[in-house]
Amino acid sequence: MSTIREDYVLKQIERIGELIALALGFKATGKTDHALRTVDAGLDELFGKERELLELVDAKTAARLIADPRKIKAYADLLRAQMKFTENSRDRSRLESRSQSLFDEVSMMSN
């Protein structure tokens, strides 16, 4: 991977961490809607128009499309954060399952 691309990916990952921390702060003050919007913005920032496609495919296909294990983990982290701020139990369960499947895919990539 080129140094420029490597720097870009690292900056994206760092930004996602900042957004998750910001969302957790909103949640702590009872601003769940702000927390969800912050996570949503993070997903848009990380994937842009690809986000819609990633949400339509299964976790294995999403991981293959993303390719970079760090970005897959960031995606899973964002979904896990989204799960924490979602009130609907069915949605929480779906998000938890998908994020875990993405983490599993990363584990399989490193084997």
Side-chain angles (χ1 to χ4, degrees):
M1 186 179 294
S2 75
T3 304
I4 293 171
R5 173 124 174 93
E6 181 79 17
D7 289 346
Y8 177 72
V9 169
L10 290 174
K11 285 180 183 177
Q12 281 184 310
I13 306 287
E14 189 175 292
R15 176 68 177 143
I16 296 310
E18 292 169 0
L19 288 171
I20 290 172
L22 181 62
L24 289 170
F26 283 134
K27 174 71 173 175
T29 60
K31 297 178 180 175
T32 305
D33 57 330
H34 285 74
L36 279 169
R37 283 196 296 261
T38 301
V39 171
D40 195 53
L43 287 164
D44 284 342
E45 209 172 294
L46 188 59
F47 296 109
K49 293 182 184 217
E50 284 182 349
R51 177 184 174 186
E52 291 179 30
L53 175 60
L54 294 174
E55 291 175 351
L56 292 173
V57 298
D58 62 29
K60 185 174 193 163
T61 303
R64 286 183 181 164
L65 290 169
I66 297 168
D68 187 309
R70 296 165 301 179
K71 284 183 77 173
I72 298 166
K73 285 180 185 177
Y75 182 38
D77 286 337
L78 283 165
L79 293 180
R80 195 157 277 169
Q82 193 175 40
M83 175 197 71
K84 291 179 182 180
F85 312 133
T86 299
E87 294 180 14
N88 182 295
S89 62
R90 177 179 269 173
D91 289 342
R92 275 197 317 268
S93 178
R94 180 185 53 79
L95 289 165
E96 182 176 26
S97 175
R98 184 161 179 85
S99 66
Q100 186 58 55
S101 294
L102 288 162
F103 284 123
D104 292 346
E105 288 299 322
V106 171
S107 293
M108 286 189 274
M109 291 171 109
S110 61
N111 290 333

